[in-house]
Amino acid sequence: MTLPMLTVNRAKSAQLGLTGSFFTQGFLSITYLPRIPELMDQLGVNFAQWGLIMGLSGLGGMIPLLFGNKLIMRLGTRPIMFVASVLVSIMVATFGFARDGLTFFFLIFGMSFVMSIYNLSLNSQSIMFQNRIGKVVLGKFHATWSIGAALSSVVAGLLATFMPLWLHLLIVPGLALAGFLYFTAKVLAPHEDGHTEEKAKAIKVPFFKSPSMVWLLAAGLFTGVFPELMMMDWSAVFGRDVLGLDAGLQAVPYTVFVVSMIAGRLLISPITKRFHVSEYARVGAFVGSAAMLAGVWLGTWLSASSSSFVALAVSSVFWAIAGLGCAAMVPSFFSAAGHVPGMPTAQVMARMQLVNSITVLGAKILMGALAQGISLSVAFGFPVLVLLASGFLAGKVASRLKRHEVVANAFPPTGPISMVGE
């Protein structure tokens, strides 16, 4: 059964709901990241312990990947989005009251669990909406998430100058909850989203018998998203402990990075009219890894030999270039998920994300151990090498896919948050 096209008014309403949902999700997901240095002090944890907490919390995001699709097939996406958005807002609001690492671990584990369910439902809703209107709009949703994240980083930096952490993490989730409820009411209802029809078409392929392309894409997804996650998790700490910035400026490195990445993702559509999206990603990875390394090395050197502001300015230039370089990584690997013979896109994506989540778990723990055992500046060499590897994997993907197939699906349905244990 093929569902009829949506009316113009219904399509506009649903698109507003999805756009607002992505924006709100990005804003809420990032709000505590620029204040991680304060949070670490409040919890009394070191770099290794923080890396362990952030890594293991990713287990919470993995579990829904095992049953979330079945839940969506049974209930539809909108009811799940309603419940999950309420729970995730409440959980983020509790972060400011945690006083030890173990308590915070359970809180962020729960947040990761619920956010994963929400994200899977939102992604599925977006794909279904795009199919209903017959036009690619996923790239706009992705950019909206990044805009919400960038704005959240700026706001968090401003609030850090005068507002205690606990109050910040009450106000922002409260506003986010209001936004979630308003926008979710506008998205496609269960009788509109086509989940029943997708259930009828589902194909079962044993996990360990997945085609080799799935494993290639899973590896590519990890190498593409991990450097971005490290900028989220560690850039504010780098700003404080290496560059010597005060609380109001610690959010600047990530803000510069993500704003640049937004610009790069908005350029995907025009660039892929002439170039293979995976080729764009390959070049971006090589340039981005060099720029990320330069930003860390020069920032460390200048903070010791010059001033924090000079170090911040120079590092920001290179991290802006790194943001452009990272822009196409996740989109390129997600786009290829729609071209694995014999498997539906949703199934390929779920397996990619599950493998990615497991790998990110170990990688985050290793990042924390390197930062604690050696130095944070040296530890940043790890995501630099991973980003470099992403370029080689993007090249392999490009060699397997036809250009017109990739361009038709050039945008991912979501930002990196779907893989984040933060």
Side-chain angles (χ1 to χ4, degrees):
M1 174 182 176
T2 300
L3 292 170
M5 301 292 280
L6 298 172
T7 64
V8 173
N9 289 338
R10 183 67 187 103
K12 287 182 178 179
S13 177
Q15 184 162 344
L16 173 62
L18 287 168
T19 301
S21 295
F22 271 98
F23 176 87
T24 306
Q25 184 195 29
F27 196 91
L28 179 64
S29 299
I30 300 301
T31 191
Y32 75 97
L33 296 182
R35 304 193 72 167
I36 282 177
E38 295 172 70
L39 188 55
M40 290 177 66
D41 291 341
Q42 177 176 298
L43 300 175
V45 298
N46 58 33
F47 287 158
Q49 292 167 332
W50 179 255
L52 185 65
I53 290 170
M54 297 303 289
L56 291 179
S57 67
L59 290 170
M62 295 181 204
I63 298 172
L65 297 175
L66 302 175
F67 68 85
N69 187 55
K70 294 180 180 179
L71 194 63
I72 290 172
M73 291 298 132
R74 175 174 295 183
L75 302 176
T77 51
R78 190 165 75 177
I80 300 173
M81 289 171 63
F82 264 121
V83 175
S85 64
V86 173
L87 293 177
V88 79
S89 299
I90 293 172
M91 289 177 179
V92 174
T94 65
F95 287 0
F97 298 99
R99 290 295 181 270
D100 61 83
L102 184 61
T103 299
F104 181 73
F105 166 73
F106 285 116
L107 293 176
I108 197 169
F109 182 95
M111 188 275 281
S112 298
F113 180 92
V114 180
M115 183 65 87
S116 180
I117 295 175
Y118 178 84
N119 196 67
L120 188 61
S121 300
L122 181 60
N123 293 346
S124 299
Q125 169 88 203
S126 302
I127 295 170
M128 294 167 182
F129 174 75
Q130 178 172 277
N131 292 339
R132 295 293 308 276
I133 65 173
K135 184 170 62 174
V136 176
V137 292
L138 299 178
K140 294 179 181 179
F141 296 151
H142 182 83
T144 303
W145 186 96
S146 298
I147 291 169
L151 181 60
S152 180
S153 182
V154 173
V155 171
L158 293 174
L159 294 179
T161 62
F162 67 89
M163 184 176 290
L165 179 63
W166 69 269
L167 184 57
H168 168 183
L169 294 182
L170 278 181
I171 293 175
V172 171
L175 294 174
L177 177 57
F180 277 134
L181 296 178
Y182 175 78
F183 291 118
T184 304
K186 294 181 176 296
V187 304
L188 298 179
H191 69 277
E192 297 174 306
D193 65 16
H195 71 278
T196 303
E197 290 71 26
E198 285 206 343
K199 182 178 181 179
K201 295 178 182 179
I203 300 174
K204 292 184 178 180
V205 177
F207 182 82
F208 290 106
K209 292 185 179 181
S210 299
S212 61
M213 187 64 171
V214 175
W215 304 114
L216 173 61
L217 294 178
L221 182 60
F222 163 71
T223 58
V225 78
F226 182 69
E228 188 176 340
L229 299 185
M230 291 306 94
M231 286 298 293
M232 288 180 175
D233 286 353
W234 291 97
S235 60
V237 181
F238 183 87
R240 183 191 67 174
D241 292 359
V242 178
L243 301 185
L245 303 175
D246 60 31
L249 293 175
Q250 289 166 13
V252 171
Y254 178 70
T255 301
V256 170
F257 176 83
V258 75
V259 168
S260 180
M261 192 166 58
I262 292 169
R265 283 173 174 163
L266 292 174
L267 290 173
I268 289 177
S269 183
I271 288 176
T272 52
K273 290 178 180 179
R274 299 188 60 185
F275 300 99
H276 193 302
V277 68
S278 293
E279 285 295 330
Y280 174 32
R282 182 177 68 87
V283 174
F286 295 148
V287 173
S289 60
M292 185 177 291
L293 179 63
V296 172
W297 182 78
L298 288 174
T300 302
W301 178 67
L302 289 171
S303 64
S305 62
S306 182
S307 72
S308 296
F309 292 107
V310 173
L312 175 62
V314 173
S315 294
S316 294
V317 171
F318 285 100
W319 280 333
I321 298 172
L324 287 171
C326 290
M329 303 317 303
V330 175
S332 70
F333 294 113
F334 263 133
S335 67
H339 305 285
V340 177
M343 292 184 68
T345 301
Q347 190 177 42
V348 175
M349 288 180 59
R351 294 183 182 187
M352 287 169 62
Q353 291 186 35
L354 181 59
V355 173
N356 172 78
S357 297
I358 294 171
T359 312
V360 164
L361 185 153
K364 283 192 171 189
I365 294 173
L366 178 57
M367 181 70 179
L370 290 172
Q372 181 66 28
I374 307 176
S375 72
L376 184 54
S377 296
V378 173
F380 259 101
F382 179 29
V384 168
L385 291 175
V386 170
L387 182 57
L388 187 64
S390 184
F392 289 104
L393 292 174
K396 288 187 175 293
V397 172
S399 68
R400 293 195 182 195
L401 299 176
K402 295 179 181 179
R403 179 180 181 276
H404 76 273
E405 290 178 335
V406 180
V407 171
N409 243 337
F411 297 101
T414 183
I417 201 65
S418 61
M419 284 70 67
V420 179
E422 12 98 305

